[in-house]
Amino acid sequence: MSLVVGAGLDKYYGAHDVFTRISFRVEHEDRIGLVGPNGEGKTTLLRLIAGLEEPTNGSLSTKRGLRIGYLPQDPPAAADVTLWDGMLAVFADLRAVEAQLHELAGRLAGDPGNADLLAQYSALQGDFEHKDGYSYENRIRSVLTGLGFGPDDYTHSLAQLSGGQRTRALLGRLLLEDPELLLLDEPTNHLDL
């Protein structure tokens, strides 16, 4: 099944035609590059696929439940959190399960024979393990290292990073989110040499 199908897409901003009658298909494992002069609608098309804009005409359909990651040309203003905390935010649900496990472990220490607590802990631990809960910090380190960040960078505020560093941090976050479709809009615009 195709990840994304566009049929007869038009996009207008007032009287300005960005593009007309575009049709395309994105299949699983496709690698596609959009090349052309500025102002031809490449960013607009990516924003349509990412669900950030709607076409003026035509239809755009995506695989049900498709996880899309979008890296814009210009990195958005960064939150005043550390690089590490920004990456940890991807795993907020997993970390909540981890906190529940710690809480249940504490309760079990005080009441080791409680079968209900033990059953809750066992089920939660199985879910946590199934979702790779014991390795998410290693995944963060691996992605950050691959993007050129070292352990000394982990405590730097995202708001104080350069444009290129923020772009790499945003890319890292997207990679950790593990999207099925990754849209990169001129990803080297702000990358440091």
Side-chain angles (χ1 to χ4, degrees):
M1 171 182 201
S2 300
L3 296 180
V4 181
V5 177
L9 296 178
D10 298 337
K11 184 62 179 179
Y12 311 129
Y13 293 109
H16 176 66
D17 296 351
V18 179
F19 50 73
T20 57
R21 309 298 299 162
I22 291 181
S23 296
F24 63 92
R25 183 176 300 270
V26 178
E27 300 295 339
H28 193 67
E29 297 190 20
D30 276 354
R31 308 286 191 269
I32 300 169
L34 297 177
V35 180
N38 289 339
E40 295 295 314
K42 298 180 300 293
T43 293
T44 301
L45 181 59
L46 291 178
R47 289 179 56 80
L48 289 175
I49 295 170
L52 301 172
E53 292 189 34
E54 295 290 326
T56 305
N57 293 308
S59 67
L60 183 68
S61 59
T62 60
K63 178 186 134 195
R64 184 185 338 212
L66 180 67
R67 294 182 323 276
I68 298 175
Y70 173 65
L71 181 70
Q73 279 187 42
D74 298 311
D80 194 18
V81 298
T82 66
L83 175 62
W84 184 258
D85 288 342
M87 299 303 115
L88 279 178
V90 172
F91 300 101
D93 291 345
L94 197 56
R95 294 181 75 222
V97 172
E98 186 176 38
Q100 288 177 326
L101 281 170
H102 288 300
E103 188 266 332
L104 282 171
R107 290 174 57 193
L108 274 169
D111 189 4
N114 188 320
D116 288 338
L117 284 178
L118 191 55
Q120 285 178 346
Y121 186 86
S122 179
L124 205 55
Q125 185 180 34
D127 185 48
F128 186 72
E129 190 171 329
H130 177 73
K131 293 177 180 174
D132 294 326
Y134 293 106
S135 65
Y136 71 89
E137 288 189 358
N138 287 334
R139 283 185 57 208
I140 292 172
R141 284 185 197 90
S142 177
V143 166
L144 289 177
T145 298
L147 291 170
F149 291 107
D152 292 343
D153 297 317
Y154 296 175
T155 58
H156 292 157
S157 167
L158 287 173
Q160 294 177 342
L161 297 179
S162 71
Q165 290 171 318
R166 282 197 319 272
T167 297
R168 285 188 286 138
L170 182 55
L171 179 58
R173 184 180 169 103
L174 290 174
L175 292 173
L176 289 168
E177 290 172 353
D178 195 27
E180 294 171 87
L181 178 62
L182 183 59
L183 305 171
L184 307 175
D185 192 354
E186 297 190 38
T188 59
N189 272 1
H190 296 282
L191 294 180
D192 299 322
L193 294 176

